[in-house]
Amino acid sequence: MSDTLQKSSDIDLDKRPENGRATAIKSRLTSWDSIILVLTVLVLIVASFSVENFGTSRNFTFMVLDLLPIILIALPMTMIIVTGEIDLSVASTLGLTSSMMGWLWNQGLSIETIIPLCVVIGAICGVVNGFLITGLGLPSLAVTIGTLALYRGLAFVVLGDGAVADFPWNYTGWVTGTIGGGAVPNVLILIVVLALIFGIVQHATPFGRSLYAIGANAQAAHFSGIRVARTKFWLYVVSGAVAGLVGVLWTLRYSSARADNGSGLELAVVAAVLLGGVSIFGGKGSLPGVLAGVVLLTALQNALRLEDVSGQALNIVTGSLLVLSVLLPNITTAVRGNYHRRRLRQAASR
């Protein structure tokens, strides 16, 4: 009798690791990251067969250029939202740095000097946001809505309604060009490098793990030794610097420095980040999911443009995705939680 019980116990113990691995694999396959990745691949495949010119190399180049500003700004935005904050001033920072780029070019500065200056200007905008939020304790939503208007207004003060369009061809040509004259855009190198840097920092460093701790419970993170205010402050500085860099790339792509460049881009960035599974309440989300969300949003917009859908309809699609990106992950989490609790109750009743 005792030998039988011992053998049964040994069998159960042998099964536990296998069950644990199976559960982990199942959880990963049914996670929001996996769902959004599969959905993105499906949209790309369907659009390639159903939308004329979508699958061409020329359209691929244009689509990468379209996702460039969204994906770069989404990298620091992901970290900010993971901590439970938000930055809605990024598009206005882009517009301000674009205006400054045009103004500095008119003053006779070289493009090699202007580019780093614009990145620094963007970082200064981030310093202002970070100080107001972490130094004075003001809510990030209210602060960045205010600086959204402030920075856009300053952009019009700097450049007015005019445009500067005589930038050097070797810079504008590089931004819009491809590697070796093929189908891979030059800017894809920049996207990959920055995505790898931000991905490693967020998912493979103590700093990245501290972001999730702050988002889950800022007070507990503070008592555990994490410098919450300092961490958030530098996130806003980095967000501003990246927005400044995107302002430069935007200006060079269109060869036009304007005060209204990037208007409304913050909506697409936030929609892509939330669509990628980052919780608006903080503490959850991953960069791979965000990258998939950016590609999905850009692919949908690109396919609709090829079908001659109006700009107003594109805004409707972006807004709808923003609502769904908040709603669907919460529904998915609730369904999985109810299923898990039901399984536990069934196991307990046996």
Side-chain angles (χ1 to χ4, degrees), residues 315-330:
N315 289 333
I316 293 173
V317 171
T318 304
S320 300
L321 286 175
L322 180 57
V323 174
L324 289 174
S325 63
V326 176
L327 186 62
L328 291 181
N330 290 328

Side-chain angles (χ1 to χ4, degrees), residues 156-180:
F156 279 98
V157 169
V158 170
L159 205 59
D161 294 328
V164 179
D166 57 339
F167 296 103
W169 165 250
N170 56 327
Y171 282 88
T172 59
W174 183 88
V175 172
T176 57
T178 58
I179 300 173

